[in-house]
Amino acid sequence: MPVNLENSAVATELEKQNGNSNFYRPIVESFEEAPLHVMVFTYLGYGIGTLFGYLRDFLRNSGIEKCNAAVEREEQKDFVPLYQNFENFYIRNIYMRIRDNWNRPICSAPGAVFDVMERVTDDYNWTFRFTGRIIKDVINMGSYNFLGLAAKYDESMRTVKEVIETYGLGVGSTRQEMGTLDKHKELEDLVAKFLNVEAAMVFGMGFATNSMNIPALVGKGCLILSDELNHASLVLGARLSGATIRIFKHNNVQSLEKLLRDAVIYGQPRTRRAWRKILILVEGIYSMEGSIVHLPDIVALKKKYKAYLYMDEAHSIGSVGPTGRGVVEFFGLDPRDIDVYMGTFTKSFGAAGGYIAGRKDLVDYLRTHSHSAAYGTSMSPPVAEQIIRVMKLIMGLDGTTEGLQRVQQLAKNTRYFRQRLSKMGFIVYGNEESPVVPLLLYMPAKVAAFARHLLNRKIGVVVVGFPATPLAEARARFCVSAAHTQEMLDTVLEALDEMGDLLNLKYSRNRKSARPELYDEMSFELED
């Protein structure tokens, strides 16, 4: 059932602080529970798979069945195990059965349609061989190509070609040595203008933008409050920082406020000294749930408790907001309310790398203290030019309205696709404005059948399961693009309708989920 948070107390308080009672945008999200029998059969399926897994492990250890997995050498049997059997049990006995649905090789640009290299296995998915056949014009429902700008070469990319001719492909140095180009400076100024902040710094890798910069901002004696569904790059950065980490329930303002209140009252464990810094880590759009951060509520809390807010807009920048400027524009907030902006250029911009933006003193600090700036290779010049080209397109600086039209088309396609799926009876997670659309499948056998059948119908999808999701919440994750035509979406929806009937996937009963409610177990700490 959709969850409408329009009248939340925190949002009302924030409205009073800003003197504006009309700016707050209602949040409509859905996290419907599966019927009981679906969960029973899901766990039963994993139980049966586990039993057969132990049987097959016994046969492998006895030499009756060949073991294709990595094992310890006989002469190292007295060493500390390099390959933990229990940790690899799931991979050996469950993942391998359906492994053909992942890592499919693509041999074209990831546009609205792409080409897939056909492969087969002769040993039950342990290895694959290519047949030489190319599956042409598969509808791409899995790539993060939100604005449809990750496409093969056309005349609009002429400036990228010119940059290659002038600068070459690589830089061969870090930003702190000889790797800062005029193109990087041009891009950073444009990013700051796009986000309406004082300054920005760009990095060559999106994942490293989080994992290598968070340790430069916080350390021992600091507290990180992290959403339980944050991306692995945020989790890694938090752990590398040495700060104390506490987890709050996903988008749960009550859970976050309790942690903030306790942090202010009790301070650090044992010493009870005040925390040096309190940093809240959130994402704009959560890539596995399709939900949008409840930003107005979180901004109100961070102001109330004098915390800092770090927001990862990897999926939301370019894809939400009237002009594609992310969740701050989506909610109509002041850009100064966010202390640290982070985003990547790998989704809406059809490129690579990431950025940190905000106040000038923050960016200047990172220029000298960021591990990525000191040790990471600079962004490739043609990649920087591609981002500049796309950002100017979105901002209308190219003299056209094509960028705005793409943003609007993405929003239109997103609403159409989500509404049709919901009407068909599927359980669909997330915000109604999010172009990331998770469709719940639950059972591992249905995950495999779903992806295989759709590929046979020339529809490419991403299916996701444990450990990227909870064990019983395997799903297909669709990414809607502005490049998708109505005909393409209707083709996909027709196939999904048939697949839903064939595999009995239409579980929706419009029951309210317990997910938005406050849980008893509030947090845990990760300390050295």
Side-chain angles (χ1 to χ4, degrees), residues 325-393:
R325 283 171 167 80
V327 292
V328 171
E329 184 187 50
F330 179 80
F331 286 111
L333 299 180
D334 187 337
R336 292 172 295 182
D337 290 336
I338 313 301
D339 300 292
V340 186
Y341 283 90
M342 179 273 172
T344 66
F345 303 116
T346 54
K347 281 76 176 178
S348 297
F349 299 90
Y355 64 84
I356 294 286
R359 291 177 52 176
K360 187 176 184 300
D361 55 355
L362 164 73
V363 175
D364 288 344
Y365 174 83
L366 288 176
R367 290 190 193 281
T368 57
H369 291 81
S370 167
H371 300 294
S372 188
Y375 305 109
T377 302
S378 298
M379 179 182 289
S380 170
V383 171
E385 178 59 30
Q386 162 70 1
I387 301 166
I388 292 170
R389 182 185 75 86
V390 170
M391 196 164 286
K392 286 182 176 179
L393 181 76

Side-chain angles (χ1 to χ4, degrees), residues 245-263:
I245 303 170
R246 291 177 181 160
I247 309 300
F248 62 91
K249 293 298 176 182
H250 175 54
N251 259 342
N252 192 312
V253 181
Q254 293 91 345
S255 174
L256 175 60
E257 182 164 25
K258 183 179 187 304
L259 293 179
L260 283 166
R261 188 188 305 116
D262 289 348

Side-chain angles (χ1 to χ4, degrees), residues 6-235:
E6 183 175 9
N7 297 316
S8 71
V10 179
T12 302
E13 180 62 27
L14 182 61
E15 291 167 2
K16 292 178 181 178
Q17 293 175 11
N18 286 271
N20 181 0
S21 61
N22 298 316
F23 92 101
Y24 184 71
R25 182 170 189 153
I27 301 173
V28 182
E29 295 181 340
S30 176
F31 294 99
E32 184 182 345
E33 287 183 331
L36 178 62
H37 74 277
V38 174
M39 302 308 295
V40 169
F41 281 113
T42 298
Y43 282 111
L44 184 62
Y46 278 110
I48 293 173
T50 300
L51 289 176
F52 274 94
Y54 280 116
L55 174 61
R56 296 190 69 181
D57 276 357
F58 172 77
L59 296 176
R60 292 178 185 126
N61 294 332
S62 303
I64 300 174
E65 180 181 333
K66 180 182 177 182
C67 181
N68 291 303
V71 295
E72 309 294 340
R73 291 187 297 170
E74 184 64 25
E75 53 267 37
Q76 291 182 313
K77 63 181 180 180
D78 295 326
F79 285 48
V80 175
L82 182 61
Y83 306 105
Q84 295 288 347
N85 279 340
F86 180 77
E87 294 173 2
N88 289 297
F89 179 86
Y90 177 86
I91 295 176
R92 289 196 309 272
N93 298 297
I94 297 179
Y95 169 72
M96 277 298 167
R97 293 174 178 268
I98 55 178
R99 184 181 171 219
D100 56 298
N101 297 291
W102 288 275
N103 308 311
R104 286 174 174 155
I106 309 302
C107 54
S108 68
V113 295
F114 55 23
D115 300 335
V116 180
M117 299 175 67
E118 186 182 63
R119 60 181 184 176
V120 296
T121 180
D122 301 312
D123 54 5
Y124 304 102
N125 290 338
W126 286 98
T127 61
F128 296 96
R129 61 179 175 83
F130 295 112
T131 64
R133 175 174 171 257
I134 305 298
I135 307 174
K136 293 279 190 180
D137 297 328
V138 177
I139 299 177
N140 181 4
M141 294 301 298
S143 298
Y144 295 125
N145 187 17
F146 294 131
L147 296 181
L149 294 167
K152 61 184 179 181
Y153 182 82
D154 59 33
E155 187 56 28
S156 67
M157 301 178 189
R158 176 179 46 80
T159 57
V160 178
K161 180 180 178 181
E162 292 172 354
V163 165
I164 295 175
E165 293 172 348
T166 303
Y167 294 85
L169 292 172
V171 178
S173 186
T174 68
R175 290 295 302 272
Q176 288 190 2
E177 295 172 348
M178 299 181 69
T180 297
L181 306 179
D182 56 347
K183 279 294 171 186
H184 297 143
K185 175 61 176 172
E186 179 185 353
L187 174 57
E188 288 172 347
D189 291 344
L190 191 61
V191 170
K193 182 178 179 181
F194 182 66
L195 297 174
N196 195 23
V197 296
E198 294 179 7
M201 183 176 183
V202 297
F203 303 89
M205 181 182 178
F207 190 97
T209 304
N210 276 331
S211 60
M212 295 291 101
N213 283 299
I214 292 175
L217 298 174
V218 291
K220 193 170 183 180
C222 298
L223 174 65
I224 291 176
L225 302 180
S226 179
D227 190 290
E228 66 176 342
L229 297 181
N230 274 339
H231 189 263
S233 59
L234 289 167
V235 174

